[in-house]
Amino acid sequence: MSETKPQPLVQPPGLVIFDCDGVLVDTEGLSNRILTRALQREGLDVDLQTVIRDNVGRSMASVRVWAEDLLGRALPPSFIDDVQAETFAAFRAGLEPIPGVAGAIDAVQAAGMPTCVASSGAVEKMQLTLGLTGLLDRFNGRLYSATMVKRGKPHPDIFLHAAAEMGCAPADAVVIEDSLPGVTGGVAAGMKVFAYAAPGCEDIGHGPEVLSAAGGIVFRDMAELPERLGLKELTLS
């Protein structure tokens, strides 16, 4: 099935809201392998693809509810903290930004577009992963977490919170996402959503067709993002 190349926006947005994991930093595979092993140690018969398919883009609080429903019992009180500690150690051992994203951010910011990050992860996690990959300075003071709102993705709360904090009307904001919950939440917030379909996303149930059906404007290469946002003749680093 051939993909139609997204058309650029006619009017550049008033705010570009980036998701973090899978959009800015290449954390999804690493963190979900650690989470899968932790759940298996607790006796949950689940594989990596199921964990990713059912939980990518969601907060760890939501993951806990999902796992406890399947297990029929509560996870240990320290489960999330233990998984986070193991995950952070793995990040420090080697974490990379999403290919092309640094240049895309620089082009967007050089054009004067306000930017921020809205993630299901905690601010502490964003500070670590963005710091390790050299991206933190691009978003200092503009990191918004699902822990700041009542409901996480796929609800729109985090996107609406980010837009309000940045002084932008939801209809003027654009979201950059890579997961079905994220795309769903951005659309529910009344925002245009560009859905980054990373290599291999088809294998975990978040392929281009799924993201498009949820209302996302699919693109496959971060280097394309400035043009999709209506910017032209920009050189990406």
Side-chain angles (χ1 to χ4, degrees):
M1 175 177 166
S2 62
E3 294 177 23
T4 302
K5 188 173 181 180
Q7 294 302 306
L9 297 179
V10 175
Q11 172 115 12
L15 172 66
V16 182
I17 303 175
F18 289 88
D19 177 41
C20 189
D21 298 302
V23 169
L24 298 176
V25 289
D26 194 10
T27 54
E28 295 287 17
L30 185 58
S31 59
N32 280 291
R33 285 193 293 273
I34 291 168
L35 174 60
T36 300
R37 290 196 297 266
L39 291 169
Q40 290 169 345
R41 288 195 297 269
E42 290 297 325
L44 188 58
D45 184 15
V46 67
D47 60 18
L48 174 63
Q49 260 130 3
T50 300
V51 170
I52 294 175
R53 183 197 66 211
D54 290 355
N55 295 290
V56 70
R58 296 180 183 270
S59 67
M60 280 300 291
S62 296
V63 173
R64 176 190 280 277
V65 171
W66 171 83
E68 290 178 343
D69 283 347
L70 291 177
L71 279 169
R73 64 170 174 82
L75 290 167
S78 65
F79 179 81
I80 291 178
D81 289 341
D82 292 345
V83 170
Q84 179 173 276
E86 186 178 353
T87 302
F88 283 10
F91 288 164
R92 292 186 181 98
L95 182 65
E96 297 292 332
I98 294 295
V101 78
I105 296 165
D106 289 346
V108 169
Q109 293 180 340
M113 290 184 191
T115 59
C116 67
V117 182
S119 173
S120 293
V123 170
E124 178 189 9
K125 179 184 177 184
M126 286 186 269
Q127 289 173 331
L128 175 66
T129 59
L130 295 175
L132 289 170
T133 53
L135 300 176
L136 183 59
D137 287 347
R138 293 168 168 88
F139 297 105
N140 262 332
R142 305 188 311 282
L143 303 178
Y144 303 107
S145 166
T147 60
M148 300 173 176
V149 296
K150 183 177 180 180
R151 303 175 301 176
K153 303 171 187 178
H155 299 287
D157 303 31
I158 182 57
F159 299 115
L160 295 172
H161 175 72
E165 289 292 310
M166 295 293 294
C168 181
D172 295 331
V174 164
V175 171
I176 315 300
E177 266 287 355
D178 70 314
S179 71
L180 180 57
V183 171
T184 302
V187 170
M191 301 174 183
K192 190 176 292 291
V193 180
F194 283 83
Y196 173 57
C201 62
E202 296 89 345
D203 299 333
I204 57 171
H206 290 256
E209 293 83 2
V210 172
L211 298 175
S212 178
I217 302 168
V218 175
F219 69 109
R220 303 302 299 260
D221 186 345
M222 275 295 170
E224 299 176 6
L225 182 58
E227 182 184 351
R228 302 282 75 78
L229 295 175
L231 306 180
K232 300 180 184 299
E233 299 179 0
L234 291 169
T235 301
L236 302 184
S237 59

